[in-house]
Amino acid sequence: VQLQASGGGLVQPGGSLRLSCAASGTIFSIDDMGWYRQAPGKQRDLVASITRAGSTKYADSVKGRFTISRDNAKNTVFLQLNSLKPEDTALYYCNADLRADYYTPYTNYWGRGTQVTVSS
């Protein structure tokens, strides 16, 4: 199983980006999916998460600016980043709880991360 994130880049303050993360491999079911971020010298923190049913949770610092969504048919989670600020600069990681078959318990997986840099 792999989580492949994409969509990061360099953007000016106030700009937007859309991150995508697709899970591939032998997948029976995916439960919660989410995005975390880690700036240099700081811990990795939750940005947003979404359940299979679509319930969402956001860090206070991104509420009203970021939107998480998912496409269950494509095993993909998205993060729309609007009104970006320099303090949003970080490596963004996707995360998912999934199982490969009916008999396997849910296992937590991480993607490699995609860099978001907000600078003028």
Side-chain angles (χ1 to χ4, degrees):
V1 174
Q2 285 189 330
L3 298 181
Q4 183 65 49
S6 62
L10 172 63
V11 63
Q12 292 185 344
S16 298
L17 284 173
R18 181 175 172 84
L19 307 183
S20 300
C21 177
S24 61
T26 303
I27 299 170
F28 174 75
S29 177
I30 302 179
D31 196 5
D32 291 357
M33 303 184 82
W35 289 92
Y36 290 70
R37 67 185 181 186
Q38 187 169 20
K42 296 188 176 182
Q43 66 181 20
R44 188 178 300 185
D45 292 323
L46 175 69
V47 175
S49 65
I50 184 167
T51 68
R52 183 171 181 82
S55 296
T56 59
K57 185 185 301 182
Y58 296 93
D60 288 343
S61 59
V62 306
K63 283 181 181 177
R65 300 188 299 122
F66 292 7
T67 302
I68 190 170
S69 60
R70 65 191 281 175
D71 184 334
N72 290 331
K74 296 182 178 180
N75 294 332
T76 301
V77 62
F78 306 96
L79 187 67
Q80 179 67 41
L81 296 75
N82 296 329
S83 302
L84 281 160
K85 305 174 181 180
E87 51 263 43
D88 295 317
T89 295
L91 193 59
Y92 283 69
Y93 297 90
C94 60
N95 179 274
D97 292 323
L98 64 87
R99 53 178 176 167
D101 56 58
Y102 179 81
Y103 303 99
T104 304
Y106 280 100
T107 302
N108 189 254
Y109 288 87
W110 290 94
R112 286 191 175 181
T114 183
Q115 178 68 38
V116 172
T117 303
V118 184
S119 175
S120 55

